[in-house]
Amino acid sequence: MIRAATVQARLLLPRSYASQVSMGKIDPPPWEHIIEHLRPAADVPLSVGRAGKGGVPLASRLREAFASWVWAMKVYGLFRSYVSSSLTNGIVSCPTPFHQMDTRGQDENKVLTARGCHTSPESQELADKSCVPCSSKDLHPMSEDSAKKLLEQVNGWELTTEGGILKLHRAWKVKNFLKGLEFFQLVAAIAEAEGHHPDLHLVGWNNVKIDVWTHSVRGLTDNDFILAAKINHLNLEGILSKRANVQK
Ligand SMILES: C[C@H](O)[C@H](O)[C@H]1CNC2=NC(N)=NC(=O)C2=N1
């Protein structure tokens, strides 16, 4: 009975353990602990059919092996989401910082998803800054020349003018409508933290367009480039469509 209880306990532990980990109730276990869980109990001989002397029926062993496999997959998924969210939150720096590459003609999305970030030192510097309150009296709209200089630090964005107002604009193709909303959530977190907000558009179900400008001065300020750089540093793996997003 004890042995059956042990087997049963191990069957239960991986599932409840992983679910508690995925709910953030407990920290993921150290890796060696995981290996320990997955290693079949060496002292229990495999037996076919009914429990022989001291053997455990094959069905129980297979069930345990399957439960361990399911658990390992869950843990791997947790690991991937941990790395991905760490990249998004800047906890894990870019795996290989590299100078801003000209991805025109290539699938920029691959660069984004492969690296989880797309940074040059200047772009990183911009993304590390914080926005100033838009109600500040010292805030004035910048000239188009100044905007063009800063544009080099926000890969993929372009300058547009609408109603005489200079703006930053960028478009992405996302996997589906819900991924578009997920993208908006990531951007919203930045905007709320910075007190500076973009205009978000989700059109034709999978086309995200973002315009950034400073409404209080009806033009572009450093705030807009800081926000654009922070958006560029989001890890959009799993959100962007594999195909498009090739920069024009
Ligand atoms: C009081 C303050 O100006 C407003 O709350 C903020 C909010 N977010 C903003 N975002 C943008 N893009 N422009 C603004 O002028 C602005 N103003």
Side-chain angles (χ1 to χ4, degrees):
M1 263 320 277
I2 293 172
R3 180 171 287 113
T6 309
V7 170
Q8 184 53 25
R10 189 176 294 172
L11 277 180
L12 286 180
L13 183 58
R15 272 193 296 278
S16 62
Y17 197 83
S19 60
Q20 287 181 66
V21 169
S22 59
M23 285 187 289
K25 283 194 181 143
I26 47 176
D27 296 335
W31 293 112
E32 59 280 359
H33 193 44
I34 288 177
I35 303 301
E36 183 48 43
H37 263 295
L38 295 179
R39 186 177 300 124
D43 61 330
V44 177
L46 190 61
S47 80
V48 183
R50 282 186 303 103
K53 282 196 221 35
V56 174
L58 179 60
S60 308
R61 300 287 293 167
L62 290 177
R63 243 196 335 271
E64 182 188 6
F66 179 67
S68 298
W69 180 79
V70 167
W71 182 64
M73 287 304 106
K74 277 189 180 174
V75 170
Y76 174 64
L78 280 173
F79 175 73
R80 273 169 58 94
S81 59
Y82 170 74
V83 170
S84 133
S85 63
S86 305
L87 272 180
T88 303
N89 303 327
I91 296 170
V92 173
S93 65
C94 285
T96 48
F98 56 99
H99 285 289
Q100 194 138 344
M101 292 193 306
D102 174 0
T103 56
R104 262 173 284 278
Q106 299 168 35
D107 175 358
E108 185 195 353
N109 179 34
K110 203 172 290 166
V111 174
L112 275 178
T113 50
R115 308 286 178 118
C117 56
H118 191 85
T119 177
S120 67
E122 299 76 21
S123 160
Q124 183 63 58
E125 202 179 308
L126 200 52
D128 290 342
K129 289 184 175 176
S130 292
C131 296
V132 300
C134 297
S135 50
S136 159
K137 295 283 170 275
D138 304 332
L139 221 48
H140 304 288
M142 68 173 69
S143 68
E144 189 162 345
D145 284 347
S146 305
K148 281 177 181 165
K149 284 198 187 77
L150 276 172
L151 200 59
E152 290 160 20
Q153 296 179 33
V154 284
N155 189 54
W157 291 80
E158 57 191 24
L159 287 181
T160 59
T161 306
E162 206 176 327
I165 299 175
L166 207 50
K167 300 180 181 181
L168 285 177
H169 174 84
R170 185 168 181 184
W172 296 260
K173 199 169 275 298
V174 290
K175 285 179 188 256
N176 56 50
F177 188 75
L178 289 179
K179 290 297 180 184
L181 294 180
E182 196 176 316
F183 187 0
F184 283 4
Q185 284 295 337
L186 293 175
V187 174
I190 298 173
E192 283 298 292
E194 296 298 326
H196 196 67
H197 302 84
D199 298 345
L200 302 176
H201 312 268
L202 177 50
V203 295
W205 63 272
N206 69 342
N207 296 285
V208 165
K209 298 179 182 181
I210 300 184
D211 293 310
V212 181
W213 54 294
T214 302
H215 298 235
S216 57
V217 300
R218 294 175 56 77
L220 285 176
T221 66
D222 285 350
N223 280 355
D224 302 305
F225 288 89
I226 292 168
L227 186 58
K230 290 178 185 292
I231 291 171
N232 273 5
H233 281 69
L234 286 173
N235 180 356
L236 300 178
E237 183 172 352
I239 287 178
L240 297 185
S241 154
K242 283 272 176 279
R243 286 186 301 280
N245 296 305
V246 175
Q247 193 174 338
K248 290 186 255 342

